[in-house]
Amino acid sequence: MTVDEPLTWIGTSWKMNGSLAFARAYATGLRARAAAGWPGIQPFLIPPATALAVVSEVLRPASGIIVGAQNAHWEQRGAWTGELSVEQVADAGATLVEIGHSERRAWFGDTDEVVHRKVLATLRAGLRPLVCVGESAEDFAAGRSVEVVTAQVSSALAGVAPGEGQAPLVAYEPIWAIGEHGREATPEDIVATVGAIADHVGDRVGSVLYGGSVNRENLTDILGVPGVGGVFVGRAAWTLTGYLALLDLAADQLAGRLNVG
């Protein structure tokens, strides 16, 4: 890690939620707080496609907050009704593309091969991929977490050389921990899988994040897991107040670690 790289990534995706008015108000409030900054923290925000340009316009690069897209097609253009290309989301202000979320894999046909194509397209366009991986409750119970997740990661980053474009991020999001009815993971639940991801692709990724029922109560424990370089948050950050609380807490925790060190 260079001195210019962030120490901890704290981000959220709004999924299919939020109007343009909501997006503008949220981004405006976030920009106001970003002026003071969160030392050592890299915030990122992934709104729905309808709000991408609005959020990007409000935040602008000067805010230090990265804006991402929830999905993008692997082709630059063509007869792909309803899709958006990487170039189009970049034109709307995205510098990050979320790829392979479990909902995309389950409902929209994002196979490992599709995920791989999207990763390569994102890198070719000069954007940073955020690759989501995770195992089912059945695989977790059977002790196959490491096997399943490392296979997903290896497929997604096949052919990606160290230092090629913006270093991808990997978000480990166990399916059993995601959503309104997800079970909060303990550090013991995730430490082996996070470590295995680093062992497999650590030289090709910028950081490994954790996502799945992250909130203010468990954030400190999750960020303390060896190898976890940040969190990818859902509903706990769907309000500006909630997201700011997580950013403040992460910054305080990081400052405490640095002071102790």
Side-chain angles (χ1 to χ4, degrees), residues 207-231:
S207 196
V208 178
L209 316 184
Y210 175 77
S213 298
V214 177
N215 54 53
R216 277 176 279 184
E217 286 68 41
N218 62 22
L219 178 67
T220 297
D221 287 342
I222 290 171
L223 290 178
V225 174
V228 170
V231 291

PDB file of all heavy atoms in Angstrom, residues 207-231:
ATOM      1  N   SER A 207      -8.012  -3.905  -2.212  1.00  0.00           N
ATOM      2  CA  SER A 207      -8.470  -4.156  -0.856  1.00  0.00           C
ATOM      3  C   SER A 207      -9.581  -5.199  -0.882  1.00  0.00           C
ATOM      4  O   SER A 207     -10.255  -5.372  -1.902  1.00  0.00           O
ATOM      5  CB  SER A 207      -8.993  -2.867  -0.223  1.00  0.00           C
ATOM      6  OG  SER A 207      -9.101  -2.981   1.175  1.00  0.00           O
ATOM      7  N   VAL A 208      -9.757  -5.892   0.242  1.00  0.00           N
ATOM      8  CA  VAL A 208     -10.867  -6.830   0.422  1.00  0.00           C
ATOM      9  C   VAL A 208     -11.825  -6.222   1.429  1.00  0.00           C
ATOM     10  O   VAL A 208     -11.446  -5.921   2.566  1.00  0.00           O
ATOM     11  CB  VAL A 208     -10.374  -8.205   0.921  1.00  0.00           C
ATOM     12  CG1 VAL A 208     -11.569  -9.144   1.134  1.00  0.00           C
ATOM     13  CG2 VAL A 208      -9.390  -8.820  -0.063  1.00  0.00           C
ATOM     14  N   LEU A 209     -13.069  -6.019   0.995  1.00  0.00           N
ATOM     15  CA  LEU A 209     -14.089  -5.444   1.861  1.00  0.00           C
ATOM     16  C   LEU A 209     -15.020  -6.541   2.348  1.00  0.00           C
ATOM     17  O   LEU A 209     -15.089  -7.619   1.768  1.00  0.00           O
ATOM     18  CB  LEU A 209     -14.904  -4.391   1.111  1.00  0.00           C
ATOM     19  CG  LEU A 209     -14.145  -3.398   0.223  1.00  0.00           C
ATOM     20  CD1 LEU A 209     -15.117  -2.364  -0.354  1.00  0.00           C
ATOM     21  CD2 LEU A 209     -13.031  -2.727   0.994  1.00  0.00           C
ATOM     22  N   TYR A 210     -15.766  -6.235   3.405  1.00  0.00           N
ATOM     23  CA  TYR A 210     -16.789  -7.170   3.870  1.00  0.00           C
ATOM     24  C   TYR A 210     -18.146  -6.486   3.796  1.00  0.00           C
ATOM     25  O   TYR A 210     -18.305  -5.317   4.164  1.00  0.00           O
ATOM     26  CB  TYR A 210     -16.547  -7.635   5.307  1.00  0.00           C
ATOM     27  CG  TYR A 210     -17.706  -8.494   5.778  1.00  0.00           C
ATOM     28  CD1 TYR A 210     -17.813  -9.803   5.343  1.00  0.00           C
ATOM     29  CD2 TYR A 210     -18.733  -7.952   6.552  1.00  0.00           C
ATOM     30  CE1 TYR A 210     -18.917 -10.577   5.692  1.00  0.00           C
ATOM     31  CE2 TYR A 210     -19.831  -8.713   6.899  1.00  0.00           C
ATOM     32  CZ  TYR A 210     -19.919 -10.021   6.469  1.00  0.00           C
ATOM     33  OH  TYR A 210     -21.014 -10.773   6.788  1.00  0.00           O
ATOM     34  N   GLY A 211     -19.157  -7.248   3.339  1.00  0.00           N
ATOM     35  CA  GLY A 211     -20.522  -6.744   3.312  1.00  0.00           C
ATOM     36  C   GLY A 211     -21.492  -7.815   3.760  1.00  0.00           C
ATOM     37  O   GLY A 211     -21.299  -8.995   3.480  1.00  0.00           O
ATOM     38  N   GLY A 212     -22.541  -7.394   4.449  1.00  0.00           N
ATOM     39  CA  GLY A 212     -23.545  -8.346   4.925  1.00  0.00           C
ATOM     40  C   GLY A 212     -23.991  -7.984   6.323  1.00  0.00           C
ATOM     41  O   GLY A 212     -23.310  -8.316   7.297  1.00  0.00           O
ATOM     42  N   SER A 213     -25.119  -7.267   6.430  1.00  0.00           N
ATOM     43  CA  SER A 213     -25.677  -6.858   7.730  1.00  0.00           C
ATOM     44  C   SER A 213     -24.675  -6.057   8.566  1.00  0.00           C
ATOM     45  O   SER A 213     -24.586  -6.213   9.784  1.00  0.00           O
ATOM     46  CB  SER A 213     -26.176  -8.081   8.510  1.00  0.00           C
ATOM     47  OG  SER A 213     -27.212  -8.746   7.812  1.00  0.00           O
ATOM     48  N   VAL A 214     -23.923  -5.185   7.902  1.00  0.00           N
ATOM     49  CA  VAL A 214     -23.001  -4.298   8.616  1.00  0.00           C
ATOM     50  C   VAL A 214     -23.799  -3.162   9.238  1.00  0.00           C
ATOM     51  O   VAL A 214     -24.674  -2.574   8.601  1.00  0.00           O
ATOM     52  CB  VAL A 214     -21.931  -3.731   7.665  1.00  0.00           C
ATOM     53  CG1 VAL A 214     -21.024  -2.750   8.405  1.00  0.00           C
ATOM     54  CG2 VAL A 214     -21.103  -4.857   7.050  1.00  0.00           C
ATOM     55  N   ASN A 215     -23.488  -2.840  10.489  1.00  0.00           N
ATOM     56  CA  ASN A 215     -24.169  -1.745  11.181  1.00  0.00           C
ATOM     57  C   ASN A 215     -23.231  -1.128  12.212  1.00  0.00           C
ATOM     58  O   ASN A 215     -22.082  -1.562  12.356  1.00  0.00           O
ATOM     59  CB  ASN A 215     -25.465  -2.236  11.833  1.00  0.00           C
ATOM     60  CG  ASN A 215     -25.233  -3.435  12.734  1.00  0.00           C
ATOM     61  OD1 ASN A 215     -24.382  -3.391  13.630  1.00  0.00           O
ATOM     62  ND2 ASN A 215     -25.976  -4.525  12.508  1.00  0.00           N
ATOM     63  N   ARG A 216     -23.724  -0.141  12.930  1.00  0.00           N
ATOM     64  CA  ARG A 216     -22.870   0.547  13.900  1.00  0.00           C
ATOM     65  C   ARG A 216     -22.441  -0.365  15.042  1.00  0.00           C
ATOM     66  O   ARG A 216     -21.377  -0.176  15.632  1.00  0.00           O
ATOM     67  CB  ARG A 216     -23.618   1.756  14.470  1.00  0.00           C
ATOM     68  CG  ARG A 216     -23.540   2.983  13.600  1.00  0.00           C
ATOM     69  CD  ARG A 216     -24.359   4.136  14.132  1.00  0.00           C
ATOM     70  NE  ARG A 216     -25.762   3.997  13.781  1.00  0.00           N
ATOM     71  CZ  ARG A 216     -26.695   4.889  14.051  1.00  0.00           C
ATOM     72  NH1 ARG A 216     -26.376   6.001  14.683  1.00  0.00           N
ATOM     73  NH2 ARG A 216     -27.949   4.696  13.689  1.00  0.00           N
ATOM     74  N   GLU A 217     -23.258  -1.363  15.348  1.00  0.00           N
ATOM     75  CA  GLU A 217     -22.932  -2.243  16.469  1.00  0.00           C
ATOM     76  C   GLU A 217     -21.815  -3.231  16.141  1.00  0.00           C
ATOM     77  O   GLU A 217     -21.039  -3.613  17.023  1.00  0.00           O
ATOM     78  CB  GLU A 217     -24.187  -3.005  16.905  1.00  0.00           C
ATOM     79  CG  GLU A 217     -25.209  -2.176  17.661  1.00  0.00           C
ATOM     80  CD  GLU A 217     -25.872  -1.115  16.801  1.00  0.00           C
ATOM     81  OE1 GLU A 217     -26.187  -1.430  15.613  1.00  0.00           O
ATOM     82  OE2 GLU A 217     -26.055   0.020  17.280  1.00  0.00           O
ATOM     83  N   ASN A 218     -21.713  -3.658  14.896  1.00  0.00           N
ATOM     84  CA  ASN A 218     -20.687  -4.670  14.571  1.00  0.00           C
ATOM     85  C   ASN A 218     -19.536  -4.138  13.727  1.00  0.00           C
ATOM     86  O   ASN A 218     -18.612  -4.874  13.398  1.00  0.00           O
ATOM     87  CB  ASN A 218     -21.322  -5.877  13.881  1.00  0.00           C
ATOM     88  CG  ASN A 218     -21.989  -5.542  12.551  1.00  0.00           C
ATOM     89  OD1 ASN A 218     -21.687  -4.538  11.916  1.00  0.00           O
ATOM     90  ND2 ASN A 218     -22.906  -6.400  12.125  1.00  0.00           N
ATOM     91  N   LEU A 219     -19.583  -2.853  13.352  1.00  0.00           N
ATOM     92  CA  LEU A 219     -18.559  -2.302  12.469  1.00  0.00           C
ATOM     93  C   LEU A 219     -17.152  -2.455  13.043  1.00  0.00           C
ATOM     94  O   LEU A 219     -16.223  -2.866  12.344  1.00  0.00           O
ATOM     95  CB  LEU A 219     -18.853  -0.824  12.191  1.00  0.00           C
ATOM     96  CG  LEU A 219     -17.814  -0.109  11.313  1.00  0.00           C
ATOM     97  CD1 LEU A 219     -17.838  -0.661   9.895  1.00  0.00           C
ATOM     98  CD2 LEU A 219     -18.062   1.400  11.307  1.00  0.00           C
ATOM     99  N   THR A 220     -16.991  -2.132  14.302  1.00  0.00           N
ATOM    100  CA  THR A 220     -15.657  -2.181  14.909  1.00  0.00           C
ATOM    101  C   THR A 220     -15.079  -3.592  14.867  1.00  0.00           C
ATOM    102  O   THR A 220     -13.911  -3.786  14.517  1.00  0.00           O
ATOM    103  CB  THR A 220     -15.730  -1.680  16.369  1.00  0.00           C
ATOM    104  OG1 THR A 220     -16.145  -0.311  16.371  1.00  0.00           O
ATOM    105  CG2 THR A 220     -14.372  -1.793  17.044  1.00  0.00           C
ATOM    106  N   ASP A 221     -15.904  -4.592  15.193  1.00  0.00           N
ATOM    107  CA  ASP A 221     -15.425  -5.971  15.161  1.00  0.00           C
ATOM    108  C   ASP A 221     -15.057  -6.405  13.750  1.00  0.00           C
ATOM    109  O   ASP A 221     -14.040  -7.091  13.540  1.00  0.00           O
ATOM    110  CB  ASP A 221     -16.491  -6.923  15.720  1.00  0.00           C
ATOM    111  CG  ASP A 221     -16.638  -6.808  17.230  1.00  0.00           C
ATOM    112  OD1 ASP A 221     -15.714  -6.279  17.877  1.00  0.00           O
ATOM    113  OD2 ASP A 221     -17.671  -7.244  17.751  1.00  0.00           O
ATOM    114  N   ILE A 222     -15.874  -6.023  12.763  1.00  0.00           N
ATOM    115  CA  ILE A 222     -15.603  -6.424  11.386  1.00  0.00           C
ATOM    116  C   ILE A 222     -14.318  -5.783  10.870  1.00  0.00           C
ATOM    117  O   ILE A 222     -13.482  -6.449  10.237  1.00  0.00           O
ATOM    118  CB  ILE A 222     -16.799  -6.074  10.486  1.00  0.00           C
ATOM    119  CG1 ILE A 222     -17.981  -6.983  10.815  1.00  0.00           C
ATOM    120  CG2 ILE A 222     -16.431  -6.208   9.006  1.00  0.00           C
ATOM    121  CD1 ILE A 222     -19.271  -6.586  10.140  1.00  0.00           C
ATOM    122  N   LEU A 223     -14.139  -4.502  11.142  1.00  0.00           N
ATOM    123  CA  LEU A 223     -12.921  -3.831  10.686  1.00  0.00           C
ATOM    124  C   LEU A 223     -11.679  -4.352  11.399  1.00  0.00           C
ATOM    125  O   LEU A 223     -10.561  -4.148  10.930  1.00  0.00           O
ATOM    126  CB  LEU A 223     -13.045  -2.313  10.880  1.00  0.00           C
ATOM    127  CG  LEU A 223     -14.040  -1.604   9.961  1.00  0.00           C
ATOM    128  CD1 LEU A 223     -14.091  -0.114  10.285  1.00  0.00           C
ATOM    129  CD2 LEU A 223     -13.683  -1.808   8.492  1.00  0.00           C
ATOM    130  N   GLY A 224     -11.884  -5.036  12.515  1.00  0.00           N
ATOM    131  CA  GLY A 224     -10.757  -5.622  13.232  1.00  0.00           C
ATOM    132  C   GLY A 224     -10.335  -6.983  12.720  1.00  0.00           C
ATOM    133  O   GLY A 224      -9.313  -7.529  13.167  1.00  0.00           O
ATOM    134  N   VAL A 225     -11.102  -7.563  11.783  1.00  0.00           N
ATOM    135  CA  VAL A 225     -10.744  -8.871  11.229  1.00  0.00           C
ATOM    136  C   VAL A 225      -9.518  -8.723  10.342  1.00  0.00           C
ATOM    137  O   VAL A 225      -9.490  -7.874   9.447  1.00  0.00           O
ATOM    138  CB  VAL A 225     -11.919  -9.456  10.411  1.00  0.00           C
ATOM    139  CG1 VAL A 225     -11.493 -10.750   9.713  1.00  0.00           C
ATOM    140  CG2 VAL A 225     -13.116  -9.716  11.313  1.00  0.00           C
ATOM    141  N   PRO A 226      -8.473  -9.514  10.549  1.00  0.00           N
ATOM    142  CA  PRO A 226      -7.278  -9.422   9.702  1.00  0.00           C
ATOM    143  C   PRO A 226      -7.622  -9.573   8.229  1.00  0.00           C
ATOM    144  O   PRO A 226      -8.338 -10.486   7.835  1.00  0.00           O
ATOM    145  CB  PRO A 226      -6.420 -10.597  10.190  1.00  0.00           C
ATOM    146  CG  PRO A 226      -6.865 -10.827  11.599  1.00  0.00           C
ATOM    147  CD  PRO A 226      -8.331 -10.531  11.614  1.00  0.00           C
ATOM    148  N   GLY A 227      -7.144  -8.641   7.429  1.00  0.00           N
ATOM    149  CA  GLY A 227      -7.374  -8.699   5.992  1.00  0.00           C
ATOM    150  C   GLY A 227      -8.559  -7.898   5.502  1.00  0.00           C
ATOM    151  O   GLY A 227      -8.700  -7.664   4.301  1.00  0.00           O
ATOM    152  N   VAL A 228      -9.445  -7.463   6.406  1.00  0.00           N
ATOM    153  CA  VAL A 228     -10.592  -6.659   6.003  1.00  0.00           C
ATOM    154  C   VAL A 228     -10.151  -5.205   5.864  1.00  0.00           C
ATOM    155  O   VAL A 228      -9.696  -4.589   6.823  1.00  0.00           O
ATOM    156  CB  VAL A 228     -11.751  -6.762   7.018  1.00  0.00           C
ATOM    157  CG1 VAL A 228     -12.835  -5.734   6.702  1.00  0.00           C
ATOM    158  CG2 VAL A 228     -12.348  -8.164   6.997  1.00  0.00           C
ATOM    159  N   GLY A 229     -10.289  -4.686   4.652  1.00  0.00           N
ATOM    160  CA  GLY A 229      -9.853  -3.324   4.375  1.00  0.00           C
ATOM    161  C   GLY A 229     -10.977  -2.322   4.252  1.00  0.00           C
ATOM    162  O   GLY A 229     -10.774  -1.212   3.761  1.00  0.00           O
ATOM    163  N   GLY A 230     -12.173  -2.709   4.707  1.00  0.00           N
ATOM    164  CA  GLY A 230     -13.302  -1.810   4.638  1.00  0.00           C
ATOM    165  C   GLY A 230     -14.600  -2.576   4.623  1.00  0.00           C
ATOM    166  O   GLY A 230     -14.614  -3.806   4.733  1.00  0.00           O
ATOM    167  N   VAL A 231     -15.701  -1.861   4.481  1.00  0.00           N
ATOM    168  CA  VAL A 231     -17.016  -2.489   4.479  1.00  0.00           C
ATOM    169  C   VAL A 231     -17.866  -1.932   3.346  1.00  0.00           C
ATOM    170  O   VAL A 231     -17.714  -0.777   2.935  1.00  0.00           O
ATOM    171  CB  VAL A 231     -17.752  -2.300   5.824  1.00  0.00           C
ATOM    172  CG1 VAL A 231     -17.079  -3.100   6.924  1.00  0.00           C
ATOM    173  CG2 VAL A 231     -17.849  -0.823   6.196  1.00  0.00           C
TER     174      VAL A 231
END
